[in-house]
Amino acid sequence: MKDKLEHLIDKHIMDIIEFRRDLHQYPELGMEEVRTSARVAEELKKLDLEVQTGIGKMGVVGLLKGNTDGRTILLRADMDALPLEEETDLSFKSKNPGLMHACGHDVHTSILLGAAKVLSEVKEHINGNIKFVFQPAEEASPTGGARYMIEDGVLENPKVDAALALHVWNLPLGKVGLKPGPIMAQSDRIFIKVKGSSSHASQPQNGIDAIVASGYIITALQTIVSRNVDPMESAVITIGKINGGTRYNVISDTVSMEGTVRIFDPKVADMMPKRIMEIVKNVSLALGCECEVEYVKGYSLLANDEKLTFEVANSLREAIGEDNVIIAEKPASGGEDFSAFTNIVPSVYFWLGMVSELNKDKCTIHNPNLIVDEGCIPIGIKAMVYSAINFLNK
Ligand code: ZN
């Protein structure tokens, strides 16, 4: 079987790389993936799969039914691009002005199509079902495309028992990384408005200074991380934007602030909005100001299922070698809407190394110079194929 899988990956890899370069030339934003989903559906229909389109608006699903009844595993790729002007000099660079596949989702989509091609040729050896899920709008925080696919029933008929996804990552080509438990952060936003009243700067007693109050609020917010979060856990509160005041000699009557919160632990997630509200409201009150606070939840914490992570790590070791599987110690501080799946079914999300001599200065995602070493594509296909087969046939 191992030789057969190797042979099938070799057989399809040139077509998959060509497919990836085509997607890379025509990037589309979240929920606008018209061409991308049509291309995916067209390719899936050539395989012996049940294909559904328009799931979660632009999503595409291919269902492979194996030789016998059994469990169902969902393999997910995201399809959307970013509003960036590509600055690489690749022969297949973006032809859509102002848009670029700068997060590698073209690579994820191609890897999943490759896995679908390989697995459909060995379906007589598979027990159970595989759902190939091509998801729109991963970048569209705080809503994201995953929740719309779930609302449209992607986890039912047949009912999904486990889900798997990967992301190209700043790890050496040939390696994959994963960890049990939290692997990507909960990423929320805060909007604060502090209102006082104006007066001449030389007569502070006649006004209420929103800038002084905001200074205390920003300082006090930092005590949440230092005084309310368990020192063995971590969190981030950053006020990244602040606007207030009109003139050097006028007491400012309004300040608005925006910030982001990153969380890696469900207990911290419960406490965070409450403490932020309390601090902003009570510091404002103490200093005579009024305030408005809005806490907008983004993607939830992405936590890998512990037992399944152990199983998938073993499949990955079998696929790409013992030394190439890195068990990470810490999660990453980015957000990822695959968490919508991990909240419902046992799931594993892993990082696919893509850094080589070819791109070592150009491997930052969400950057207009990103170049992905395509050598990661066959590795990603192999990782998905082995993990799916081992899950279903054990
Ligand atoms: Zn991404």
Side-chain angles (χ1 to χ4, degrees), residues 78 103-105 108 138-139 167 336 349 365-366:
D78 38 16
C103 200
H105 298 186
H108 307 162
E138 191 285 322
E139 304 283 1
H167 204 295
E336 160 65 75
Y349 179 86
I365 55 175
H366 290 218

Side-chain angles (χ1 to χ4, degrees), residues 221-364:
L221 284 176
Q222 297 307 314
T223 66
I224 300 176
V225 175
S226 69
R227 302 290 84 181
N228 300 131
V229 173
D230 179 333
M232 296 301 136
E233 298 292 344
S234 65
V236 179
I237 301 175
T238 293
I239 299 293
K241 187 175 167 189
I242 176 162
N243 283 312
T246 50
R247 211 181 127 78
Y248 79 99
N249 62 354
V250 176
I251 299 261
S252 172
D253 64 349
T254 311
V255 172
S256 53
M257 297 182 259
E258 288 178 33
T260 184
V261 177
R262 301 293 159 113
I263 299 167
F264 306 91
D265 177 79
K267 289 195 294 295
V268 176
D270 284 345
M271 169 271 283
M272 191 62 84
K274 184 171 163 281
R275 280 303 290 147
I276 287 177
M277 299 279 179
E278 284 170 357
I279 285 178
V280 177
K281 284 185 179 160
N282 289 305
V283 174
S284 298
L285 184 70
L287 299 175
C289 290
E290 289 180 0
C291 68
E292 290 167 17
V293 199
E294 196 187 353
Y295 190 99
V296 179
K297 279 209 158 106
Y299 296 160
S300 59
L301 182 75
L302 195 170
N304 281 339
D305 181 81
E306 309 246 340
K307 184 168 160 278
L308 191 62
T309 304
F310 181 73
E311 287 175 29
V312 169
N314 280 338
S315 296
L316 295 173
R317 289 185 185 106
E318 191 188 334
I320 63 168
E322 194 84 21
D323 298 341
N324 291 322
V325 179
I326 299 165
I327 302 297
E329 285 179 13
K330 291 179 183 165
S333 55
E336 160 65 75
D337 88 333
F338 185 62
S339 57
F341 294 103
T342 65
N343 289 342
I344 302 173
V345 289
S347 309
V348 173
Y349 179 86
F350 62 93
W351 299 317
L352 177 67
M354 57 137 174
V355 183
S356 69
E357 280 302 308
L358 178 84
N359 65 346
K360 63 179 190 305
D361 307 321
K362 295 169 181 143
C363 50
T364 307

Side-chain angles (χ1 to χ4, degrees), residues 20-40:
R20 182 261 159 164
R21 292 181 177 188
D22 176 70
L23 292 190
H24 193 84
Q25 288 180 75
Y26 300 100
E28 295 170 302
L29 287 179
M31 290 305 175
E32 295 173 13
E33 300 96 333
V34 178
R35 184 183 184 278
T36 310
S37 31
R39 288 285 287 118
V40 167

Side-chain angles (χ1 to χ4, degrees), residues 70-74 129 155 158-163 308 344-347 391-392:
R71 299 194 292 174
T72 298
I73 188 164
L74 181 157
N129 311 300
L155 294 175
K159 194 170 168 45
V160 169
D161 297 294
L308 191 62
I344 302 173
V345 289
S347 309
F391 176 79
L392 294 173

Side-chain angles (χ1 to χ4, degrees), residues 37 40-55 59-69 72-73 75 112-113 116-117 119-120 123 128-134 149 153-154 156-159:
S37 31
V40 167
E42 179 192 341
E43 291 297 320
L44 290 180
K45 281 174 187 163
K46 293 180 192 166
L47 310 174
D48 192 14
L49 303 175
E50 289 173 20
V51 181
Q52 289 177 290
T53 57
I55 307 296
V60 183
V61 180
L63 175 65
L64 178 154
K65 287 186 170 160
N67 194 35
T68 59
D69 287 346
T72 298
I73 188 164
L75 308 180
L112 191 57
L113 177 65
K117 287 185 182 223
L119 287 161
S120 5
K123 66 199 287 187
N129 311 300
I130 305 175
K131 268 188 190 179
F132 302 97
V133 170
F134 296 85
M149 292 198 82
V154 77
E156 305 299 327
N157 298 321
K159 194 170 168 45

Side-chain angles (χ1 to χ4, degrees), residues 77-94:
D78 38 16
M79 301 190 289
D80 55 326
L82 286 162
L84 285 178
E85 189 72 44
E86 179 160 355
E87 289 175 19
T88 74
D89 48 15
L90 292 170
S91 61
F92 53 92
K93 74 184 279 190
S94 172

